[in-house]
Structure formats: C-alpha cells, structure tokens
Amino acid sequence: MADVKEGPVAVDSATAAARPRGKREQTKHNNREAILDAARIVFADLGYGATSVRDIIRKTGLASGTFYNYFKSKEEVFEALMDDGMRRIRPRLRAERIRSRTFEDFIRNAYRAYFEYLATDSDTFQVMRRNPNTMRVRMDSPEILAGFEEIREYIEEDIRNGTLPGVDAEYLMAAVVGIAMEIGDRMLRRPEMDAEAAAAFGTQLVLSGFRALPAKKS
C-alpha cells in the first residue's frame, strides 16, 4: 500500500485552491463561508428540524437575497456542511492508506483517524451530535459519495493484489463505513469520548469477520 499516490486531479485542485483569489471571488468565498459558519451554529443549537432559512440568515447578518445566491434551501446548506466535513477527513484517510502496509493496517489507522477527527473537531462534533438522524438520511451528497467510492477502490485494489480475498467490495465498503458511522454516533453521545477505544472496537469487529466472507461469484 505504500506506493499509492494521489492522481493528477487531486494535485491540480490543490494547486487551484492555492492560487490567490480576485476581490470578487474572495467576496463570494467569504459570503459562502459566513453562511456555512452560521449554519453550523444554528443546526447545533436548534437541530435540523427546527432550523429555518431565516434563522441562518439572521445569524449571518447578510441580506436574504445574498443567501439565495448560494443556496436554495436549508437542505442544501446541510449537505454542504457534510461535504465540507468529508473534504477535511478524506486527505487523512488517503495518508493512512499510503502509510498502511496491509488492509488490516488501513482499517485500524483509518478508524483511528476518523474517530479522532470526530472527537476533536468541535464544529462537526456539535452538528453531528445534535442531528444524528438527519445525517443518516443525507449521505448522498457528491463529496460523501466520492469518499465512499474511494474506500471501495482501495478494497478492490487489495483484492487485485491478492492481499484480500475476492469478496464483494461494495458490500465490504458499506459495512466498513456503516460500522464507523454507527460507532461514531454512539461515541459522540458519551460524556467522555475515547477515539482509541472506538477505533479498537470497530477494527476488531471488521477484521474478525471479513476473512470469513464468501467469495464474490464471477
């Protein structure tokens, strides 16, 4: 796994993000970030169901017309927040993929990175803790789906390399992700969050079962 490298698309996008913005582009960026920052606070305070677009706008101090230049609804704002979280965790998972020598190492390291992210990112922590059920039904945004697809590709690569048995990669990805999300949800509800313990439990659960899975039929 140590020879995994990011493709040119990731490099190009990082280069583009590093380029200085013009004044108009910077204003648009600042307005969008102001809306997302306000939404994090409101969703954490009121919960998704009780939050209205007006609540978010009031928190930003921007005009309502400005809000609708960026988002059509609170649903779009919430999905943008979830995408933002995935954009922050995906580089960590890629780094763990690169330094992991086996699938077992990757699962262990990836779970630890994910649970530590949940436990230490206060903004994400507050939104997720206040809106766990909403997050379960809004996992089809582009960035989140791309993150899931990346994990499936890692699994398929290990199957091709012979380091994993020829199991159903899509099902295994769904199981790995589902375990992480459910354990993460329970961890966030505890008064003392132990990312290491959560990672150890999830890792043992996955590793104890995946080798007993039936091979995928051709």
Side-chain angles (χ1 to χ4, degrees):
M1 289 194 183
D3 59 348
V4 177
K5 295 182 176 63
E6 295 184 29
V9 174
V11 174
D12 290 346
S13 62
T15 303
R19 284 198 294 264
R21 299 184 178 93
K23 184 176 180 180
R24 184 176 180 182
E25 188 179 11
Q26 186 63 49
T27 298
K28 291 174 66 175
H29 172 79
N30 291 344
N31 286 345
R32 189 175 188 276
E33 289 302 304
I35 293 170
L36 293 179
D37 289 343
R40 284 189 186 93
I41 296 172
V42 176
F43 284 135
D45 288 345
L46 303 181
Y48 179 84
T51 294
S52 68
V53 168
R54 182 174 296 181
D55 293 323
I56 299 173
I57 294 173
R58 189 181 299 120
K59 194 71 175 177
T60 65
L62 299 172
S64 59
T66 302
F67 174 91
Y68 288 107
N69 285 336
Y70 300 90
F71 301 101
K72 296 178 181 178
S73 63
K74 71 173 184 179
E75 287 82 1
E76 284 194 359
V77 178
F78 194 88
E79 289 175 0
L81 288 177
M82 296 302 98
D83 275 350
D84 183 60
M86 181 60 83
R87 271 189 292 272
R88 281 182 282 169
I89 189 62
R90 281 178 71 186
R92 302 188 194 186
L93 297 182
R94 291 191 194 107
E96 297 303 339
R97 169 70 175 180
I98 291 170
R99 79 184 186 91
S100 299
R101 305 300 302 180
T102 64
F103 176 76
E104 289 92 333
D105 286 343
F106 171 63
I107 291 298
R108 184 177 296 105
N109 295 334
Y111 273 174
R112 183 183 298 110
Y114 176 67
F115 294 130
E116 286 177 351
Y117 162 71
L118 293 186
T120 57
D121 188 309
S122 59
D123 291 337
T124 301
F125 161 73
Q126 293 295 341
V127 173
M128 293 182 71
R129 185 168 188 174
R130 192 71 172 80
N131 303 276
N133 294 329
T134 303
M135 292 191 62
R136 284 192 179 90
V137 300
R138 298 191 177 279
M139 299 305 291
D140 58 350
S141 61
E143 192 73 25
I144 290 176
L145 292 179
F148 293 170
E149 180 69 10
E150 203 165 23
I151 294 172
R152 184 184 64 78
E153 290 172 357
Y154 294 160
I155 293 172
E156 288 185 340
E157 182 180 27
D158 285 347
I159 292 173
R160 289 194 299 270
N161 293 340
T163 55
L164 266 183
V167 300
D168 191 307
E170 185 175 17
Y171 280 174
L172 182 54
M173 176 275 291
V176 168
V177 170
I179 288 170
M181 291 180 61
E182 291 298 327
I183 293 178
D185 177 37
R186 296 308 187 275
M187 183 189 76
L188 290 175
R189 299 185 189 191
R190 296 187 174 188
E192 294 186 9
M193 293 178 289
D194 189 339
E196 188 67 35
F201 183 91
T203 300
Q204 189 61 40
L205 185 61
V206 172
L207 299 186
S208 296
F210 86 91
R211 291 197 180 279
L213 293 172
K216 184 179 179 181
K217 295 181 180 180
S218 303

